[in-house]
Amino acid sequence: MSNFVGKRMIRNEDPRLLTGQALFVDDVQIPGMLHAAFLRSDYPHARIRSIDTSAAARHPGVAAVFTAQDMGSFWQPGPLLVPAPHSIEGLIFNKRTQIPMAKDKVRHQGEAMAVVIAESRYVAEDALVDIVVDLEPLEAVTDLERALAPGSPLVHDDLPSNLASFVRQRKGDYEAARQQADLVISRRLVIDRGVAGALENRGVVAAWDPKQAQMTIWATTQAPIGFRNIVAAALGLSEHQVRVIAPFLGGGFGPKIMLSQPEEVLLTWATKKLGRPIKWIEDRQENFLATTQERSQIHDVEIAVTGDGRVLGLKDVFIHDTGAYNPYALTVPLNTQTHTMGPYEIPNFHTEYTVVFTNKMIVTPVRGAGRPQGVFVMERMLDAAARELKIDPVEIRRRNLIPAGAFPKAQGIIGQDFTELVYDSGNYPATLEKAVTMIGYDRFVREEQPRLRATGRSVGIGVVCFTESTGVGPYEGARITVEASGDVSLATGIGTQGQGHFTSFAQLVAEQLGVDPRRVHVVTGDTSQFHWGAGTFASRGATVAGNAINGAAGRVRAKILKLASQVLDTPEPELELVDGCVRVADIPEKFIGLGELAVLANPMRGAVKTGTEPGLEATDYFGPPFGATASGTVAMIVEVDTETMMVEIKRYVIAHDCGTVINPLIVDGQIHGGVALGIGNAYYEKLAYDESGQLLSGTLTDYLMPRATDVPRIEIGHLSTPSPLNPLGTKGVGEAGAIPTPSCFVQAVENALAGRKIEILELPLSPNRLYELLHEGQEA
Amino acid sequence: MSDLVKIAVAVNGARHECSVEPRLLLVDFLRHELGLTGTHVGCEHGVCGTCTILFDGEPMRSCLIFAVQANGHEIRTVEGLGTIENLHPLQQAFWEAHAAQCGFCTPGMLMTLVPFVENQAHPPEEEIREALAGNLCRCTGYQHIVDAVKLAAQRLHQSEAPLGDGEVQP
Amino acid sequence: MKPAPFDYFAPATVDGALSLLREHGSAAKVLAGGQSLVPAMNFRLAQPAILIDLNNIPDLAYIRPAGDGGLALGAMTRDSSAEHSSLVAERAPLIPAVMPFVAYPAIRNRGTVGGALAHADPSGQLPAVAVALSARCRVRSKARERWVPADEFFVGFFATALDHDELLVEVQIPPLPPESGWGYRQVERQVGAGALVGVAAVVTLDRQRRCANSRIVLLSVGEGPVRAARAAASLAGQAPSPEAIAAAADLAARSDIDPGGDIHASPAFRRHLAAVLTRQALTDAFGRASKEPAPSSRSGGAPSAARGELR
């Protein structure tokens, strides 16, 4: 029985956040601090003939202006942030990492060409106007297929084409399976770009202290340790001379893990050069242009099925857009590959993709990180098969789900952590049935839908199943210390962007040490407190850091018991940790407080035995052999107003399995947030470009994110198949809502419009797009 | 260069006299001149709601008002709503309902909602969502925020004591 | 996104503002609510050298009954004041009907009626409402005062009949004739987003319950508020049957407008919506006209068609 794990505990961090007393990067104020503003290209593709910054440098209040030229030998392309999957046979990977400043040409709209450092952001923006840039616009590469056509303009002139990468993976033999099929269906699916849209834009404060020879950086980063290491290397400093602090972050959702060469690394060089702290805070306009984004792919898919709807094989050939550079290697399309089969038994699977460079912003993961696209592929093909075979969409899914006893299930292809995709545990049929029951599927399809349709209303239902790889390696670590006060401090390397780590992690410690979680003080994301780890991404915080914390807490517990056993002269099995004390079971008056014990463990004088470690402190690390697979089923009922093309989600149900749950309140919140983003990706959010590659939807007026009136009440049903891969049994949940929602929305809308016989093979939708789909072939 | 303008502004009950450039946005004045960093900047075009404060008691976007325009007026920010030791019932309700995740949109949400909850004891869900529609949140999906508003409205109009810290009723 | 520098004036009287306008002419921009101007300045799309702030002129903010039984609104009347005023609800219910569609409450707390009219956004609700209600705009300069009918006030894309040295100080709305009704319908992608298309309709019936007069004004379909003149003409003298209304709506969509396209809606989709919404707005308007004298509706405005219950 657990005391704290599994409790709906309200959060430790909230009072500070709720009263405006939490530090975000833009809140940092240092005497003498200067402010940066970047001159960014209006053109997606252009040659830089000249840049003259002399007038800007003379602008009153300006401390310096830098271009690529001014950076001298410091200017070089950044490192690869994620390795390429060299274990995949036949991999082609043309590395072109992000550069700190455009040199001879700009490769995406918003690419930095110069930076002004001035007394205030206002003045810095004034001085940008004084920079004279002579740009020769070039034809931009914007269409994924034309990018590979002969004669296409080249994003990177030193490459023979815009081919960035090629990956092919095979499980079984699709061609043979195809021969056996009763039905082969092919479709083309197109998914378009969207942004993460965190409410807090990116920012960094870099402060070089020459007297201490210390660089202190506050940054909106999801990977402070990697940031530190790269900056130290770039500046020729020892890693211990660089401290990166990720304070409270106003949302991450992926792009804040991308270490940015122009804004983050360059400004550390600049602060060292100028000897004054520099702050850069991104504005919303910059965010649309210069923060990484994701989702754009074109899939040509073929599914081979038997007459009763069982999938014999699937072949998916897709093009993936990486934008102007590929510093994040292949994480996103690898995720697409590993999430196409989903919870279904797919004995033969051929998946290959070509990655192209385009003159758009760099692609790195955005909540979902390539998984939504994989789910879209499978779910649309199952729906197409169901329609042709006249099988109910839920029934065709039932017939193909991997059964409950089949775990661990190796899936034969390699994923973003470079290991073979293996599903650790799950119960996909139970998840499907739960969602189907919660939404009242049978009654809706048999009674409500026909009744409402008879009155002229277009209502539809969708049911979509998905898996979700989480908790991937490499590892994370944690250090736990009992302090003299009896409070406990915990430090871990990952950062926090709202997931409640200050609470869920405290619950883990409290569980092992018997302290009040309110007395566990958590530090995340400060490299001076903990400097080993990879970062917050891929829904791995609770699982990977959580298990490291659990391990460290276990070690501290062991130390406590050992010392207390001596102090209380009682065998360890008779001791219990309760209410911040160690006490003898059945003799409550015989106890010692943890704080007092901690003091005893750290003598100020005298001798200690060889091998003694001071204090009640332990560090532990955890790295899983591969990621834990969460899963779920989403069901949705929608109504389409066929006059106005407006879609309303009437009901939203999700049955979700993320193994052991540390804090259900936090898990629910994560699901809600992911669902809202998924609704955005389904119906509201699209980065629209004109023919020359200029972004048309670069403000929040044009790029619509879901509001409270756009998100329905979300009904969650929890299931739990603990993961055998870690002692806690946890799986991640951060991206759960975002992954299946667009697919389910499309299925439900198509179902609502079943009488019109349209098929929806794209994302995102919009009222305008629905109008076009319904009126294709009619009046122009 | 334009001349500085003298202003006198009451913020959270305290009077401030400063000289500012006319173009200084009110949100930047609050955050950087007065050090009240609880109000956040999200978009600088009035769409996200993160910068919302109370201007003479009414929610307004501080990114769309110049500091000079606040001369002679009363501003209330999240720092004036409650303290860690003494939370406003709306803040307490947000806490209990897990209505904040990253917390960045939260101050703007709170200031937008204060007049709303003070005026209604049992607002229906649809009205709450409409009242929130001017404030973007990317983390919560809004559901727990709606729950918090219901809880706060109920309490404000019944003088019920809060549940106290610890567990939330499911 | 910080604005460029400017010189700032905050006159306390209308006369003071007019003197400044005369002195600075086209170098100056008037700052009313700022909810449209300040975003443009933050983007540096607008960089006025001089800003004349009207917010310290109490004489410009008022809601008064007019002698003819209509309404007079000072230009600096906040959107939210007009939205919640019982006098406005009684005498110009079309205004509180459209207000919930204007951005968000926090924007309406600061934005002004006069500012919206002077900004002349083709997607703006208030310009269309002003035209639908046959409003008159009172315009003053240092030299003179004149009245401009709403029909003549909006001259193009974000352009009005105001000269550089002129200030809109008041908008007067005549009373609705007896046997009149109004309707407003729009489609927006989400609450507070711009209308893809909006239609404001004001109709008056004759003794035989036929249409004596109608003004049908569309927004987001052209360079400013667009009157569906042919549609209105087709209704004159007709009994407002569903068929007649549908025919008028089709006419409005096919012949009275030439909508442009953008990332949210193609011209064809706008035309389609124009027909749907005109039909709905006219149905609402004639429905109201047929009832007894208009009850004062607290919050008018038809909700977007999609927000309904699944029963």
Side-chain angles (χ1 to χ4, degrees), chain A residues 88 136 206 231 235 530 564 618 662 768 777:
Chain A
I88 294 179
E136 177 198 332
V231 163
L235 296 175
F530 203 90
I662 302 169
N768 187 60

Side-chain angles (χ1 to χ4, degrees), chain A residues 582-660:
Chain A
V582 190
R583 67 176 189 216
V584 181
D586 304 332
I587 314 178
E589 55 277 10
K590 199 167 170 197
F591 71 93
I592 181 164
L594 286 183
E596 205 185 322
L597 199 64
V599 170
L600 289 175
N602 181 30
M604 295 306 293
R605 291 288 186 277
V608 298
K609 288 211 285 276
T610 312
T612 307
E613 290 177 1
L616 296 172
E617 176 177 283
T619 298
D620 200 9
Y621 299 92
F622 177 77
F626 47 88
T629 300
S631 60
T633 299
V634 169
M636 198 189 289
I637 294 174
V638 304
E639 177 162 8
V640 181
D641 180 327
T642 51
E643 283 199 312
T644 61
M645 305 297 136
M646 302 297 281
V647 179
E648 186 184 354
I649 302 174
K650 294 293 197 185
R651 283 192 65 200
Y652 186 105
V653 154
I654 177 167
H656 190 257
D657 176 359
C658 57
T660 303

Side-chain angles (χ1 to χ4, degrees), chain A residues 121-122 125-126 283-285 451-452 457 459 637 639 641-646 648 650 683-684 688 696-697 699 701-702 704-707 709-710 765-768 771 780, chain C residues 1-5 42-44 47 104 187-191 193-194 196 262-266 268-273 276-277 279-280 304-311:
Chain A
R121 176 65 178 228
Y122 289 71
E125 289 191 16
D126 293 341
D283 62 41
R284 186 57 62 179
Q285 192 172 33
R451 177 172 54 82
L452 290 162
R457 293 171 69 175
V459 294
I637 294 174
E639 177 162 8
D641 180 327
T642 51
E643 283 199 312
T644 61
M645 305 297 136
M646 302 297 281
E648 186 184 354
K650 294 293 197 185
Y683 189 57
Y684 294 93
L696 296 170
S697 51
T699 71
T701 315
D702 285 316
L704 304 177
M705 306 206 304
R707 295 175 179 268
T709 39
D710 304 317
L765 289 178
S766 66
N768 187 60
Y771 177 78
Chain C
M1 282 163 54
K2 306 298 180 191
N42 287 346
F43 276 106
R44 297 204 180 203
Q47 300 191 36
Y104 319 104
V187 167
E188 70 286 344
R189 290 191 65 185
Q190 59 179 196
V191 168
L196 298 183
D262 61 20
I263 60 175
H264 296 297
S266 67
F269 185 42
R270 285 204 152 91
R271 268 192 210 281
H272 166 85
L273 289 175
V276 170
L277 296 172
R279 197 190 79 236
Q280 292 176 349
S304 159
R307 265 187 267 291
E309 285 302 314
L310 195 66
R311 281 187 233 295

Side-chain angles (χ1 to χ4, degrees), chain C residues 74-93:
Chain C
M76 286 300 286
T77 302
R78 305 283 174 196
D79 291 342
S80 55
S81 301
E83 182 180 357
H84 299 295
S85 154
S86 49
L87 187 61
V88 176
E90 186 194 311
R91 298 194 177 198

Side-chain angles (χ1 to χ4, degrees), chain C residues 10 24 30 90 98 106 116 128 143 157 168 222 253:
Chain C
H24 297 288
V30 164
E90 186 194 311
V98 305
F157 198 61
L168 171 66

Side-chain angles (χ1 to χ4, degrees), chain A residues 463-504:
Chain A
V463 177
V464 149
C465 303
F466 68 101
T467 53
E468 173 192 353
S469 75
T470 70
V472 296
Y475 72 92
E476 289 301 327
R479 184 186 65 250
I480 295 173
T481 312
V482 180
E483 298 181 344
S485 64
D487 285 7
V488 180
S489 66
L490 159 64
T492 177
I494 65 166
T496 309
Q497 305 89 36
Q499 308 91 331
H501 292 156
F502 298 95
T503 307
S504 51

